[in-house]
Amino acid sequence: GIRLAPKEKVEVPVLFMPAEMKIYKAVVVIHVVRENGENWPYKVTTGSNTDLIRNVTVAENGETQGIVWIYPINGTPEAPQQKSVMIRCQARQRVEQRVELLLIGVIMPSATALPDAGNSAEVDTDEPSNTTEVTDGSSATLEFLYELQYQSDEIRSQLESLVGMQLVEKEWDTESRIVTLIFNVVFAPSKPMRNEATIVIQCTAGGLWKFPLVFIATEPEVDDVINIEAVGLNKESIVGFKLTSQT
């Protein structure tokens, strides 16, 4: 019953309130007819374009009675963002830290929902995203995709070569519906900095989890102490030393 003038725009609000961490699908259908009830004179025949036949409603005389637009809606629930994990290291040093991430509200598949892939994980740091499969020992398997995302290309250029991430352990609790993924994060900064990144984990059965990471590199140790011995009052004393650039 919405009246729309020629070239007028109308907004179609879509509200998404997921109750569980799973994939939701719906379709928004918009059907337009003439206000005076008349048909468009164009007649749809068997030889008409397939897309056209699907997107119109036809009257008994073959004329176009209405035009239909169909918009698929895919809803992916996203868990509330967790507290930031701090990874601190002195510049020109290297630190390895185990980061334990809890995925709460995971929908457990039935024993016949997915094939048995075993308790395995594939990690390839050269790819933008990685895949891990989690199993409870039965034929029910969950598959997760994860990647480290950066807030900007500038932060990516500063952090990408300094940070490494590898999945080392995974398990699930079927009663609490919590999947635990434990990562080994390596941070080897070359200079003092403070930058942020986000581990984004997506379950193929539905659900998205984001975990912020804050990388802090503190001042490095003093390289050396330079002693200058005075040769007398109001006379210059000079000491020379070399600096080597690592880049």
Side-chain angles (χ1 to χ4, degrees):
I2 299 176
R3 292 184 178 183
L4 197 63
K7 296 187 179 182
E8 186 182 355
K9 296 180 180 180
V10 61
E11 294 185 356
V12 180
V14 178
L15 179 64
F16 181 44
M17 297 179 61
E20 294 183 321
M21 298 294 282
K22 66 180 182 180
I23 295 175
Y24 291 85
K25 293 186 177 182
V27 176
V28 174
V29 179
I30 299 175
H31 186 208
V32 174
V33 296
R34 284 187 168 182
E35 186 179 13
N36 58 12
E38 296 180 359
N39 300 327
W40 283 277
Y42 183 83
K43 291 188 177 182
V44 179
T45 63
T46 55
S48 300
N49 183 280
T50 304
D51 291 336
L52 177 62
I53 296 175
R54 185 172 62 246
N55 293 331
V56 298
T57 54
V58 182
E60 293 181 357
N61 61 0
E63 293 182 343
T64 301
Q65 187 178 41
I67 305 174
V68 178
W69 287 268
I70 301 174
Y71 299 91
I73 304 294
N74 294 328
T76 300
E78 181 176 333
Q81 186 162 298
Q82 306 298 311
K83 292 183 178 180
S84 299
V85 177
M86 310 288 289
I87 299 178
R88 187 184 299 268
C89 180
Q90 191 176 26
R92 299 206 299 266
Q93 300 295 323
R94 181 179 183 275
V95 67
E96 291 190 23
Q97 183 171 327
R98 289 169 65 91
V99 177
E100 184 174 301
L101 306 180
L102 301 182
L103 311 184
I104 301 175
V106 179
I107 299 296
M108 302 302 174
S110 61
T112 58
L114 294 171
D116 184 9
N119 191 358
S120 63
E122 299 176 2
V123 178
D124 187 353
T125 55
D126 294 333
E127 295 296 327
S129 63
N130 302 285
T131 304
T132 179
E133 293 172 343
V134 183
T135 177
D136 65 347
S138 68
S139 60
T141 305
L142 289 174
E143 187 177 81
F144 295 90
L145 306 174
Y146 64 92
E147 66 173 321
L148 193 61
Q149 293 184 352
Y150 305 92
Q151 294 180 341
S152 66
D153 291 338
E154 181 181 357
I155 295 178
R156 175 186 292 274
S157 65
Q158 295 177 7
L159 275 183
E160 197 168 33
S161 61
L162 308 177
V163 176
M165 184 177 67
Q166 183 179 20
L167 182 71
V168 294
E169 193 174 336
K170 55 203 176 300
E171 61 182 20
W172 83 19
D173 187 329
T174 53
E175 293 184 2
S176 63
R177 293 182 8 187
I178 296 178
V179 172
T180 303
L181 300 181
I182 301 177
F183 292 88
N184 185 49
V185 179
V186 178
F187 182 37
S190 58
K191 60 182 180 180
M193 67 172 64
R194 179 188 176 96
N195 282 321
E196 297 183 5
T198 303
I199 297 180
V200 180
I201 303 175
Q202 184 172 6
C203 181
T204 53
L208 190 70
W209 294 263
K210 294 182 179 181
F211 299 89
L213 298 179
V214 180
F215 295 93
I216 300 175
T218 58
E219 292 289 339
E221 293 182 358
V222 175
D223 293 284
D224 203 354
V225 176
I226 300 173
N227 294 315
I228 303 178
E229 186 175 343
V231 296
L233 293 176
N234 299 318
K235 295 183 179 180
E236 292 182 351
S237 296
I238 299 175
V239 172
F241 58 94
K242 294 182 179 180
L243 298 178
T244 302
S245 172
Q246 300 297 322
T247 59

